[in-house]
Amino acid sequence: MNPNTVYPRRNDRNTVYLKAVVRDPGITVGDYTMYHDVARDPRQFERNNVLYRYPVNRDRLVIGKFCSIASGVRFLFTAAHHALGSLSTYPFPIFFEEWGLRGEDVTAAWDRRGDLVIGNDVWIGYEAVLFSGVTVGDGAIIGARAVVTKDVPPYAVVGGVPARILRYRFPDDVIAALLRLRWWDWPEARIRAHLADLQAGRLQDLTACE
């Protein structure tokens, strides 16, 4: 097991561990989070999937451990949100030289939404779109082509445009136990020893070793 491996599957060049291919210091990815792309080189995740994130805005993308990100998912940042307080949606400040504006006011073109934070063990479906300022809780599922504009609670399943909660994956007591266990932070050997319990849903066997 090596979370720094680029291609974790033999003869599969469509799937990568994101941590191994991300170079932008404004993007943080946890161990074993995977990205699969059916159409493009998945190593180009930063260029193709993280959009409108300009250094001047200082917004970050934070992705936790053991996440599964499907092909075509997009993360849209501050510069995708034109300033709604203006009477025009045209981003005049970014063309400051054309209009005689101050270059240091370029960020006035956008409404700052903040960082985009994805928890651990999150599954993001095909071509979903997530906006900056959103936090997705641990264990959540984002449906294919969902547009996520608001926070998603832990272990919620969301879908639609805009995304809404469809259901929760487990009852409240199970969710609370999983959030307490935080199995994704366990040592690798411990995770391997309990893989069968994780996959079979044997929560009692996981909690027994707390």
Side-chain angles (χ1 to χ4, degrees):
M1 298 181 291
N2 182 359
N4 298 308
T5 298
V6 175
Y7 299 112
R9 285 164 45 89
R10 186 179 303 171
N11 300 321
D12 177 2
R13 292 299 182 263
N14 297 110
T15 304
V16 296
Y17 281 157
L18 272 184
K19 183 178 180 180
V21 301
V22 165
R23 298 290 177 263
D24 188 328
I27 303 175
T28 303
V29 182
D31 290 350
Y32 298 108
T33 282
M34 53 153 284
Y35 175 61
H36 177 83
D37 200 310
V38 298
R40 298 181 176 182
D41 184 346
R43 295 174 300 176
Q44 299 301 315
F45 174 85
E46 290 174 84
R47 185 176 74 178
N48 296 329
N49 302 77
V50 183
L51 307 180
Y52 302 105
R53 201 191 74 80
Y54 302 148
V56 68
N57 291 315
R58 299 180 181 179
D59 38 17
R60 301 177 306 139
L61 173 59
V62 179
I63 305 175
K65 302 175 183 178
F66 293 96
C67 292
S68 304
I69 303 175
S71 182
V73 169
R74 299 289 189 271
F75 301 92
L76 303 187
F77 279 83
T78 291
H81 304 288
H82 291 205
L84 296 183
S86 170
L87 296 180
S88 170
T89 59
Y90 191 79
F92 286 103
I94 71 172
F95 301 107
F96 58 88
E97 293 173 320
E98 290 283 299
W99 296 99
L101 302 173
R102 301 194 317 163
E104 56 266 34
D105 294 335
V106 65
T107 57
W110 314 295
D111 286 335
R112 177 170 172 76
R113 300 292 184 89
D115 298 337
L116 203 169
V117 180
I118 311 298
N120 304 281
D121 191 26
V122 173
W123 173 20
I124 306 178
Y126 179 74
E127 291 188 346
V129 177
L130 295 88
F131 284 84
S132 58
V134 164
T135 295
V136 177
D138 297 326
I141 297 175
I142 310 299
R145 292 182 172 165
V147 177
V148 182
T149 61
K150 296 180 180 179
D151 290 353
V152 177
Y155 290 94
V157 179
V158 304
V161 182
R164 61 182 180 85
I165 297 174
L166 304 176
R167 62 182 178 87
Y168 284 86
R169 293 178 56 196
F170 308 111
D172 290 346
D173 60 329
V174 174
I175 291 174
L178 288 168
L179 292 175
R180 184 179 67 251
L181 278 175
R182 297 185 61 82
W183 65 262
W184 44 82
D185 288 335
W186 290 358
E188 292 173 357
R190 184 178 178 187
I191 295 174
R192 182 190 288 272
H194 289 278
L195 277 181
D197 299 326
L198 279 169
Q199 292 177 297
R202 293 193 291 264
L203 180 61
Q204 67 277 10
D205 292 332
L206 297 180
T207 56
C209 63
E210 284 188 272

